Amino acid sequence: MKERIEYFAQAPDELSSILNTDFEMTDDAEAKEILAADTVPVLYQALVEKIRTADGWDAQAAQQIIKSIQKEHKAEKIKGKALYMPIRLMLTGVMHGPDLALIMDVLGKDECLKRLERF
């Protein structure tokens, strides 16, 4: 995150998407379009299942989950923006922020599942 801020006073705004457990989904038209894609329900189910069955939890485990979803759902074209943006929106409510795997690591397995259930 230090690459995203120039001075310390910007840190609370950058951290809000990670630390705010009671976030509202953005009203951004592009975000709504991303979440309305046909692939989102498939992605959601795969993500929940993989997080629930994950043995360990850290940024590397989160990245492996994301990569395995991409590999297993190649036919549905769940990759790139269609993979990362919906996950970020479901977990943080915003379209941009720090590395997704790092966010998932900081949130922890249980909080990721809670946020996905809330979605």
Side-chain angles (χ1 to χ4, degrees), residues 19-91:
L19 301 177
N20 184 5
T21 59
D22 196 28
F23 65 87
E24 294 293 324
M25 194 58 63
T26 181
D27 284 336
D28 184 273
E30 184 181 2
K32 287 181 178 181
E33 184 179 330
I34 289 167
L35 292 173
D38 294 339
T39 57
V40 171
V42 174
L43 172 58
Y44 172 84
Q45 290 299 327
L47 186 60
V48 168
E49 180 62 29
K50 291 202 176 289
I51 291 173
R52 279 191 183 135
T53 60
D55 290 330
W57 194 257
D58 59 14
Q60 186 176 6
Q63 187 63 40
Q64 284 304 113
I65 287 171
I66 294 168
K67 285 183 179 182
S68 68
I69 291 171
Q70 180 178 355
K71 185 177 180 181
E72 292 170 14
H73 295 279
K74 194 180 248 183
E76 291 98 342
K77 297 184 181 178
I78 299 176
K79 61 183 180 180
K81 188 176 179 180
L83 174 66
Y84 287 93
M85 293 300 277
I87 295 173
R88 182 180 301 279
L89 284 164
M90 289 185 274
L91 293 176

